[in-house]
Amino acid sequence: VANNTIQFIDERLKYLTSELTNVERDVEQYKRENELTDVTANADQYVAQATEYNRQLADIGIQIEVLESIESYINKQPGKFELVPSNLSIQDPTLVQLIARFNELQLEKERMLRTTLPNNPLVQDINEQLSSLQLNILENLHNIKNGLMITQKSLQSTSGRFRSQIKKVPSIERDLLEINRQQGTKGNLYLYLLQK
């Protein structure tokens, strides 16, 4: 009886060793296919990255709105020059310089008009400079806005990938738990037989 029991246990141990190796390979392959090391840590990382992308998207959205409001402000009355709002957290140095120069010329023109007539050649010269600067500002606004929109699309795409990864985490976790459960059951049986 003892000999038969030992022989039975030895056969089961050989079989379980093979099965455990297969289950461990399954776990390894599953983790490799899903690019996992630690599911919970990966989920936390996905959430952190998605949050960062959402913050960047919000910043870009604000910048685009600011640029559009300046654009509509300038286009509101073509040919009529008014001071352009400049303290709106614009990050492009060229645009900031163009707006600053435009506002300087506008203030200079207003000072001149206190003592001279609008048809004065000096006032007309300033009007031409203002007109040219206005076109440059609009072109610059357009270019910056296009660049931001390209960045925005790229961020939305990447953010979408992280959101889909976050949605996949529960099913990946469930599948991995199932594989780990099988591994645990076989491992416990293996230890039990070894003890016997």
Side-chain angles (χ1 to χ4, degrees), residues 32-64:
R32 195 181 300 116
E33 282 172 3
N34 290 287
E35 297 174 1
L36 299 173
T37 46
D38 176 359
V39 177
T40 309
N42 284 358
D44 291 344
Q45 184 185 357
Y46 294 149
V47 169
Q49 286 172 317
T51 304
E52 174 57 21
Y53 280 113
N54 286 338
R55 188 195 61 73
Q56 288 179 27
L57 277 168
D59 287 350
I60 285 177
I62 290 167
Q63 287 180 51
I64 289 172

Side-chain angles (χ1 to χ4, degrees), residues 1-13 192-193 196:
V1 170
N3 282 337
N4 283 345
T5 305
I6 289 170
Q7 191 180 345
F8 171 78
I9 289 173
D10 281 344
E11 284 172 13
R12 289 298 296 157
L13 280 172
Y192 170 76
L193 290 173
K196 289 291 172 201

Side-chain angles (χ1 to χ4, degrees), residues 77-93:
Q77 294 171 318
K80 186 168 190 265
F81 306 116
E82 290 181 9
L83 293 172
V84 177
S86 58
N87 272 350
L88 296 170
S89 67
I90 298 166
Q91 295 172 359
D92 184 82

Side-chain angles (χ1 to χ4, degrees), residues 134-169:
Q134 199 175 50
L135 288 173
N136 287 341
I137 290 170
L138 286 170
E139 187 180 339
N140 201 269
L141 282 168
H142 182 71
N143 291 339
I144 296 167
K145 196 167 74 172
N146 281 346
L148 285 172
M149 286 169 124
I150 288 167
T151 307
Q152 186 181 45
K153 279 189 181 123
S154 170
L155 282 171
Q156 284 168 339
S157 165
T158 310
S159 175
R161 277 205 309 275
F162 282 114
R163 279 199 302 275
S164 73
Q165 286 290 78
I166 291 166
K167 285 178 187 168
K168 276 175 21 183
V169 165

Side-chain angles (χ1 to χ4, degrees), residues 69-131:
S69 64
I70 293 173
E71 199 173 22
S72 67
Y73 182 84
I74 290 173
N75 284 329
K76 186 174 62 178
Q77 294 171 318
K80 186 168 190 265
F81 306 116
E82 290 181 9
L83 293 172
V84 177
S86 58
N87 272 350
L88 296 170
S89 67
I90 298 166
Q91 295 172 359
D92 184 82
T94 307
L95 182 60
V96 170
Q97 282 180 330
L98 285 170
I99 289 173
R101 181 66 187 135
F102 182 88
N103 287 341
E104 281 171 23
L105 279 172
Q106 182 59 25
L107 290 170
E108 190 181 327
K109 179 181 144 186
E110 285 173 12
R111 277 194 300 275
M112 267 189 190
L113 286 173
R114 287 185 201 137
T115 56
T116 60
L117 295 170
N119 59 359
N120 183 302
L122 292 172
V123 175
Q124 293 299 316
D125 181 53
I126 289 176
N127 277 340
E128 283 174 24
Q129 288 181 58
L130 284 169
S131 187

Side-chain angles (χ1 to χ4, degrees), residues 15-28 179:
Y15 173 74
L16 271 173
T17 304
S18 159
E19 283 219 329
L20 262 175
T21 306
N22 288 339
V23 170
E24 283 163 1
R25 265 200 215 103
D26 288 348
V27 170
E28 184 186 332
I179 296 170

